[in-house]
Amino acid sequence: MTVFNDIDRVISTFNVETIADSRKEILKPLVDFIQLKVNTKQDIRINFICTHNSRRSHLSQTWAQTMAHYFNIKNVFCYSGGTEATALFPMVAKTLENSGFKINKISDTSNPVYSIKYSDNSHPIIGFSKKLDSYFNPKAFFAAVMTCSQADNGCPFIHGAEKRIPITFEDPKAFDDTPQQAEKYQERSLQIATELFYVFSQIVS
């Protein structure tokens, strides 16, 4: 399926051979969840959860929705949430923009709302920080993907989740306000993107 040309160019650089076998084992439960839903013709709902819903969970939500579109896997609905709500960190929006996403800030408050588009004719991803049980997120029949160890340890049970899957990533926040900030956010974004490319590439429609 068509994504913006700049995103397509980024995706063309992904090499799943760089993903260690141990990491593929961590990703396998998400592959299995999606495949089961495809096989049984059910909607696929994935809620990516981190502590503050400000960085890794947004990168994961955006790239997962994009990969579902890229591989033409239907009825995939990706969400994100936190154990608390803060704000989508501006460097996350900038990093996605640098990879070819079209970002529009549609509300400029302490918790701004962003429209994130990966193709001309797809519904935009609505990016803002929210708690995992927000009205914006599904209440049942979803996979809860824990993208940070703090949320993973702090939320042993996610109400309504069919499956709870820990797929944790290092936090680029450690490099905020340093000369390496942009580089490290890009590095984390591309790791998440490559791993989700691998996940959706495994699905047999």
Side-chain angles (χ1 to χ4, degrees), residues 101-140:
F101 291 88
K102 293 189 178 171
I103 312 281
N104 182 30
K105 189 187 276 189
I106 53 181
S107 149
D108 198 2
T109 63
S110 60
N111 183 7
V113 179
Y114 296 84
S115 157
I116 305 166
K117 291 204 78 172
Y118 50 83
S119 79
D120 277 322
N121 293 328
S122 297
H123 194 279
I125 296 159
I126 304 302
F128 67 100
S129 186
K130 70 205 85 65
K131 291 185 75 171
L132 60 94
D133 59 355
S134 159
Y135 68 91
F136 215 77
N137 287 341
K139 299 299 175 214

Side-chain angles (χ1 to χ4, degrees), residues 80-105:
S80 67
T83 53
E84 56 188 276
T86 54
L88 191 157
F89 192 62
M91 193 67 209
V92 169
K94 184 66 183 164
T95 301
L96 290 169
E97 196 168 49
N98 289 342
S99 288
F101 291 88
K102 293 189 178 171
I103 312 281
N104 182 30
K105 189 187 276 189

Side-chain angles (χ1 to χ4, degrees), residues 37-98:
K37 294 290 181 182
V38 169
N39 292 350
T40 53
K41 296 182 170 54
Q42 296 181 63
D43 288 347
I44 301 155
R45 298 182 189 87
I46 308 169
N47 194 0
F48 293 92
I49 296 165
C50 204
T51 309
H52 299 116
N53 189 211
S54 57
R55 293 171 177 80
R56 291 163 286 180
S57 48
H58 283 291
L59 291 170
S60 300
Q61 175 190 6
T62 301
W63 279 114
Q65 195 70 63
T66 304
M67 292 308 167
H69 178 82
Y70 184 81
F71 286 104
N72 198 23
I73 298 164
K74 305 290 190 190
N75 302 317
V76 176
F77 305 97
C78 296
Y79 307 85
S80 67
T83 53
E84 56 188 276
T86 54
L88 191 157
F89 192 62
M91 193 67 209
V92 169
K94 184 66 183 164
T95 301
L96 290 169
E97 196 168 49
N98 289 342

